Amino acid sequence: MNFQRTNTKISLLEDYYNHFDEDHRLKTRHGNVEFIITYTYIKEILKEYQNPMILDLGAGTGAYSVPLAEEGYNVTALELVEKNLEQIKQKNKNIHCILGNAIDLSCFSDNSFDIILIFGPIYHLLKESDIINQNILIEKDKKKLEILSKNLIN
C-alpha cells in the first residue's frame, strides 16, 4: 500500500483507513466471531434502556451502527475517515453521520447519549483517559461505564 505521508498521526490514520478494506476484515472468520460476541453484549446492555440514544464513536463502516439502526435504534455515527462515513450513509439513511475526531467531542451537548460504543478509537489513542473523560460528559447515565474492547481484555 502506498500511503501519503504527512506530519500528523491523525492524517496517517486517515491515510491508512482510506486504503484499508474494513468491511472485508469484518467478514473474515475472526471478524465474524468478534462481531457476534460484541453484538451479543451490546444487545444485553440495550435491554436496560427504552429508546436509547446511541453514539458509535469511530464507527468505521458501520459494523454496529447499521444493524442497530436496522433494528430501529436511534444511532449517531462519528467517524474520522470520510470514505468510511460515506459507506455508512449508503447502507442506512437513518443513521445520523458526523465526520469528526473521537478526541474532540465538543459537537455534542452533555448528556446527549445513553450508550456510547467505542471500539476502533480506543486502540489508536495515546491516552485512553482523554476519550473516556469526554464520553462520561456526553453520556446520560454517568453511574455506569461499560467497556467492551478486545484490546482491553486479556
Side-chain angles (χ1 to χ4, degrees), residues 11-58:
S11 294
L12 287 173
L13 192 59
E14 286 178 288
D15 289 343
Y16 176 77
Y17 280 105
N18 275 321
H19 293 86
F20 183 76
D21 186 355
E22 180 71 1
D23 271 345
H24 173 71
R25 181 190 75 78
L26 295 169
K27 291 176 183 159
T28 65
R29 185 174 44 191
H30 292 91
N32 266 328
V33 170
E34 175 187 328
F35 175 81
I36 291 166
I37 291 169
T38 304
Y39 202 73
T40 300
Y41 281 112
I42 291 169
K43 294 294 289 181
E44 194 63 33
I45 292 166
L46 286 171
K47 289 178 184 177
E48 300 175 26
Y49 298 89
Q50 280 194 322
N51 304 314
M53 300 291 290
I54 301 169
L55 172 63
D56 190 355
L57 195 56

Side-chain angles (χ1 to χ4, degrees), residues 133-149:
N133 290 334
Q134 287 191 79
N135 281 307
I136 289 171
L137 290 176
I138 63 170
E139 188 173 20
K140 290 179 182 176
D141 182 5
K142 295 176 184 68
K143 298 176 212 141
K144 177 170 76 170
L145 180 63
E146 307 238 11
I147 299 175
L148 299 173
S149 175

Side-chain angles (χ1 to χ4, degrees), residues 53-134:
M53 300 291 290
I54 301 169
L55 172 63
D56 190 355
L57 195 56
T61 57
Y64 299 101
S65 296
V66 172
L68 288 168
E70 287 172 351
E71 289 189 43
Y73 291 104
N74 187 327
V75 180
T76 297
L78 182 123
E79 174 56 26
L80 177 68
V81 180
E82 191 168 2
K83 177 184 116 180
N84 290 346
L85 205 59
E86 291 305 318
Q87 289 182 46
I88 295 172
K89 290 176 184 178
Q90 290 173 6
K91 293 174 184 177
N92 191 305
K93 306 281 187 223
N94 294 321
I95 298 170
H96 181 222
C97 294
I98 299 172
L99 184 64
N101 189 329
I103 59 174
D104 179 9
L105 302 178
S106 60
C107 62
F108 301 114
S109 302
D110 288 358
N111 303 313
S112 299
F113 299 98
D114 298 297
I115 303 286
I116 301 172
L117 306 176
I118 315 167
F119 297 108
I122 206 87
Y123 50 82
H124 290 300
L125 297 172
L126 295 175
K127 294 190 308 185
E128 288 85 359
S129 61
D130 292 341
I131 197 167
I132 300 297
N133 290 334
Q134 287 191 79

